[in-house]
Amino acid sequence: MTALATPAARDTRPGGLLRALGRTHRAALVLSLTALAVAAVALVWLHSLGDEARAGVSACSTPPSGGLPSCAAVDAITADERYRDGMSVLATALSWVMFPVAAWAGGALIGRELENGTAQLAWTQSVAPARWLAVKLAAPAALLTAGTGGLLLLNDWARGDGDPDLVGDWYYPDAFVSTGPVAVAYALAGLALGALAGLVWRRALPATGVALAASLLLHGVVERYRENLWPAVTRTEAGALELPRSAFQVAWSDAHRDGVLLTRATFHPESHFWPLQYVETGLLLAVAGTASAAAFLLLARRLP
C-alpha cells in the first residue's frame, strides 16, 4: 500500500516549482529567448552598419563621373537608410515590450491556470498559494529584467554617438523608452498588470483583453504627461529665439510689448534625459508594486 502524501512529505523546494513553471510555459520561454537572440544579432550588425553610415566609408570607391555620385556615396546612402530603419524597428519593439508581456501574464501565466484548475491542484498538493504567485511573478520578472536590460545596453552601443539624424532625437517616444531603464520598468508593470487581471477575471481570454487595455492606458497616459515629470526650462528673448536641436519643446509663444517682439519658449534640454528617465521609471515601478500587492491581497481574500 502506498502511503498518502503528508505535508512533511511534500516537495516544497523552490526548484520544483520553477521546473514546473518552465515546463508549463516552455513555448513562451523558447520564443522569448529566440527573440532576444535575434535582436542581439541585429544590434551587433547595426553597430557595424552605423559605423559605415556615420563615416561614409565603403569598400567600393570609384571617382564620380558624368555627374553621378560615386559608389561610396551610394553605399553610404544605403547604409544610412538601413541603419536608420533598423534602429527604428528595434526601438519600437523595445518600447512596446510591455504589451505582449501583459497579454501573456494575464492569459497564460495566471488566467489559464486558474481557468483549467492547474493552480488549484498545485495549492492542494504541495504549494502554498502565496508562494505559487511569488514564483509566478519572480521568475519572469528576473528574466525580463536581464533580457531587456541586456538589449538596452546593446542598443546604446549600437546607437554610437547618438546622431539624431540617424537614430532620432532623445525625446522621441520610442528613442526615449529604448535607451534607459524605463523599458525594463514598462515590462515589469505589464507583468504585474497582467497577473492582476488574471486573478480578477480567472479566465484566459478576458484577462488577456483587460491586461492589454490596462497597459495601453498606462502607456498612453505616461507618454502624454512625460513632459511634466520634471520642471522644464523657460527662456524669453527679444526677437527670434532659436533652441538647440536637442531641445524637447513643450510650449512656444510670441507677444508684442512696446513694439518689441518677445519670444517665450518652454523646453527640456538634453540634460533632462536622466531626471525624466528616473521619475518615469519610479512611477512605473510603483504601478508594478501596487498591482503585485493587489494580486496577493486578492488571492488571499478569494481562498476558502
Side-chain angles (χ1 to χ4, degrees):
M1 180 180 292
T2 303
L4 294 175
T6 63
R10 293 173 182 170
D11 181 11
T12 58
R13 293 173 299 176
L17 190 54
L18 286 174
R19 286 192 297 272
L21 179 64
R23 287 194 301 268
T24 304
H25 302 285
R26 185 184 298 112
L29 179 61
V30 171
L31 181 62
S32 300
L33 292 177
T34 302
L36 283 172
V38 170
V41 171
L43 284 168
V44 172
W45 174 68
L46 285 169
H47 176 267
S48 61
L49 194 63
D51 289 341
E52 181 181 346
R54 282 184 289 269
V57 176
S58 172
C60 174
S61 181
T62 305
S65 61
L68 298 176
S70 67
C71 181
V74 172
D75 284 354
I77 294 173
T78 303
D80 285 355
E81 293 174 348
R82 290 179 179 176
Y83 179 71
R84 188 184 300 111
D85 293 344
M87 293 301 297
S88 176
V89 168
L90 286 170
T92 300
L94 273 171
S95 63
W96 288 75
V97 70
M98 76 175 299
F99 300 108
V101 169
W104 171 76
L109 183 68
I110 303 295
R112 186 176 65 189
E113 295 206 14
L114 290 173
E115 184 176 6
N116 62 23
T118 306
Q120 293 85 340
L121 180 63
W123 301 344
T124 58
Q125 288 189 347
S126 62
V127 181
R131 192 162 69 86
W132 171 83
L133 182 57
V135 173
K136 286 283 186 179
L137 290 176
L143 292 174
L144 284 170
T145 301
T148 308
L151 285 183
L152 286 174
L153 294 175
L154 278 175
N155 184 54
D156 185 63
W157 174 64
R159 285 171 61 89
D161 58 5
D163 184 350
D165 291 326
L166 293 174
V167 296
D169 283 294
W170 67 271
Y171 53 84
Y172 287 3
D174 289 352
F176 182 84
V177 174
S178 64
T179 53
V182 165
V184 178
Y186 267 117
L188 296 178
L191 175 66
L193 290 173
L196 179 59
L199 283 166
V200 171
W201 271 265
R202 304 173 73 88
R203 294 175 60 193
L205 190 58
T208 300
V210 172
L212 279 174
S215 300
L216 280 168
L217 178 62
L218 176 63
H219 188 278
V221 170
V222 174
E223 185 174 303
R224 168 64 181 82
Y225 294 101
R226 178 173 293 146
E227 63 192 37
N228 300 321
L229 297 179
W230 192 258
V233 174
T234 299
R235 181 185 298 173
T236 303
E237 290 185 7
L241 173 61
E242 292 188 6
L243 295 178
R245 165 70 184 269
S246 61
F248 176 16
Q249 184 176 316
V250 175
W252 184 281
S253 63
D254 296 325
H256 289 273
R257 182 176 301 175
D258 298 330
V260 178
L261 175 65
L262 295 178
T263 304
R264 180 185 179 91
T266 302
F267 63 97
H268 289 285
E270 192 171 3
S271 60
H272 284 189
F273 171 80
W274 284 111
L276 288 167
Q277 281 276 337
Y278 292 144
V279 173
E280 187 167 332
T281 298
L283 288 174
L284 292 169
L285 291 179
V287 170
T290 302
S292 299
F296 278 99
L297 289 174
L298 181 62
L299 181 63
R301 288 173 62 90
R302 288 194 170 183
L303 290 175

